[in-house]
Amino acid sequence: GEVDVEAILAAEASDRADSSNISYFAFTATPKGKTLELFGRRPSPDEKPVPFHIYTMRQAIEEGYILDVLTGYHSFKLAFQIGQNAAGEAEEVDQSEATKAVMKWVKLNPQTIAQKSAIIVEHFRENVADLLDGHAKAMVVADSRKAAVRFKLAIDAYIARKGYGYLTLAAFSGTVHDPESGPDDFTEASMNPGVRDLRTAFTADQYKFMIVANKFQTGFDQPLLCAMYVDRKLSGVTAVQTLSRLNRTYRTPSGKPKTAAMTSVVDFVNEPSTIREAFEPYFTNAYLETETDPNLVHDLAAKLDTAAIYTQAEVDQCADAFVKNKGNNALAAAIGPGKKRFADRYNAALVDNGGEGDNAEL
């Protein structure tokens, strides 16, 4: 006979719960709250969820699997102050080779993208380019797609003027309209002519800089990255994930691990204390600051139910079509009436609100 949809769903849930071949997988070193809530454990019913096991950032650094990106972190403001002090004193103000190298480029005041671009290229050339046997690369983190376009144009112009021969890539989504930079709209394809895949292209030795705006800022793995130039406000987990693009160790073609003596971060906008605070939770642990209120889902469901955009019969029809794999046409038929009611009421609300959608109430 025909099996009830509720019975099918209950059987599937029970089957997953009783699975005998459960596997364990490691998650990111910077888990979001929902990750801990879904996969963590609770020491007691009243406590917040925590990871089952922790392989800390500190331990991974000590064992040589990743690099400590904060050892080479410089805010531009601090470096500028050091440079000003060095100009007025005969004695050395800092013993580290990294800071001595910074002296040459901190004397410029980066008020424009053109000036910042000059600083970026010169710092890379003097401090980074020779690392990893000359294969080192850098990432420029822009605060918008328009800024990414302008950085790309400015860096390319400076490199051409100096005859350095570096090539750059720009990563961003969609189209950028910026008449001040050019008459035509800018796209990733137009800014990277002849490049199909940015990830693959960036492995080529001639490409030294990748300018990013959100895209590739996190979740991007390129072991040759040795430097990052930050012109975007960062905080929390985003700061950790962004700067951690630099923590990969590079393996030579023979398979031996090889790392730069130090990664380098030049930050034009963030305070060092903000970056340090962002890393602290993940350096030795991973914790959940606030839990999701489980009643949020039920409250939202109640609001949707009382809005009368869909009926219970339509919900049952949709579930039946999905569970029994009746296809897209059956699903569309179940959802269609609710979609039409929503569209009609939304358009009416726009009219009542003078065309402003943000404040319209359904």
Side-chain angles (χ1 to χ4, degrees):
E2 186 173 346
V3 180
D4 182 71
V5 169
E6 294 291 339
I8 296 175
L9 293 174
E12 288 180 352
S14 299
D15 183 59
R16 284 195 296 269
D18 296 334
S19 178
S20 60
N21 58 339
I22 294 176
S23 299
Y24 292 88
F25 298 89
F27 288 92
T28 172
T30 52
K32 294 182 179 179
K34 62 183 179 182
T35 305
L36 290 176
E37 288 185 306
L38 284 171
F39 302 104
R41 61 180 176 84
R42 293 179 182 272
S44 72
D46 297 329
E47 294 185 77
K48 296 174 182 176
V50 297
F52 281 91
H53 175 74
I54 297 171
Y55 182 63
T56 66
M57 192 178 292
R58 180 192 295 275
Q59 185 179 349
I61 291 170
E62 291 174 349
E63 294 179 356
Y65 289 105
I66 62 173
L67 306 176
D68 185 354
V69 298
L70 294 186
T71 58
Y73 178 90
H74 300 277
S75 75
F76 188 85
K77 183 164 66 175
L78 176 62
F80 184 81
Q81 290 171 350
I82 293 173
Q84 293 293 85
N85 293 337
E89 299 178 11
E91 59 188 51
E92 289 185 345
V93 296
D94 194 288
Q95 292 79 27
S96 75
E97 290 299 321
T99 304
K100 290 177 187 177
V102 165
M103 304 293 186
K104 296 180 180 180
W105 54 270
V106 295
K107 295 180 176 64
L108 292 173
N109 188 12
Q111 297 300 319
T112 69
I113 284 181
Q115 289 174 309
K116 290 177 183 177
S117 297
I119 292 168
I120 289 168
V121 175
E122 291 300 340
H123 177 266
F124 177 84
R125 182 170 173 266
E126 295 181 15
N127 300 276
V128 182
D130 292 333
L131 299 177
L132 299 182
D133 300 325
H135 300 301
K137 298 178 183 293
M139 177 176 282
V140 180
V141 180
D143 66 353
S144 66
R145 296 182 304 152
K146 182 179 289 187
V149 167
R150 293 184 176 184
F151 264 116
K152 162 79 168 162
L153 296 174
I155 291 174
D156 284 350
Y158 185 84
I159 290 172
R161 189 163 64 250
K162 290 291 186 176
Y164 291 152
Y166 302 146
L167 294 182
T168 68
L169 295 168
F172 58 90
S173 59
T175 301
V176 175
H177 180 66
D178 185 15
E180 294 182 24
S181 298
D184 300 323
D185 289 347
F186 296 91
T187 65
E188 200 173 74
S190 68
M191 299 217 76
N192 306 290
V195 176
R196 285 190 171 186
D197 187 311
L198 293 183
R199 290 177 183 269
T200 302
F202 199 42
T203 60
D205 204 45
Q206 66 267 33
Y207 290 105
K208 296 299 186 183
F209 296 91
M210 178 179 279
I211 300 102
V212 303
N214 281 330
K215 189 174 183 180
F216 295 153
Q217 185 178 323
T218 62
F220 176 61
D221 187 16
Q222 173 46 265
L224 292 172
L225 275 178
C226 292
M228 180 175 288
Y229 303 93
V230 181
D231 198 42
R232 180 188 190 125
K233 281 287 185 182
L234 299 173
S235 62
V237 67
T238 302
V240 179
Q241 291 179 338
T242 299
L243 268 60
S244 291
R245 297 311 97 211
L246 299 177
N247 70 11
R248 273 57 170 172
T249 56
Y250 169 68
R251 290 188 176 272
T252 64
S254 63
K256 294 182 179 180
K258 183 180 181 68
T259 63
M262 181 187 295
T263 59
S264 183
V265 179
V266 178
D267 195 329
F268 291 102
V269 294
N270 296 288
E271 292 293 334
S273 59
T274 301
I275 300 299
R276 185 178 61 252
E277 290 170 5
F279 270 81
E280 283 176 354
Y282 305 102
F283 200 69
T284 57
N285 205 335
Y287 65 91
L288 186 64
E289 291 184 352
T290 57
E291 289 187 75
T292 301
D293 182 0
N295 291 321
L296 289 177
V297 176
H298 301 296
D299 291 344
L300 179 59
K303 288 181 181 180
L304 291 173
D305 288 342
T306 56
I309 293 173
Y310 52 78
T311 67
Q312 184 59 47
E314 290 165 355
V315 173
D316 294 340
Q317 181 184 353
C318 185
D320 184 77
F322 179 79
V323 173
K324 296 182 178 179
N325 293 317
K326 291 184 176 180
N328 290 335
N329 289 337
L331 282 172
I335 296 172
K339 285 178 61 178
K340 186 177 185 307
R341 292 188 199 101
F342 178 86
D344 291 343
R345 292 171 62 181
Y346 182 75
N347 290 330
L350 288 179
V351 172
D352 293 341
N353 199 52
E356 295 294 331
D358 289 345
N359 298 317
E361 293 185 7
L362 298 179

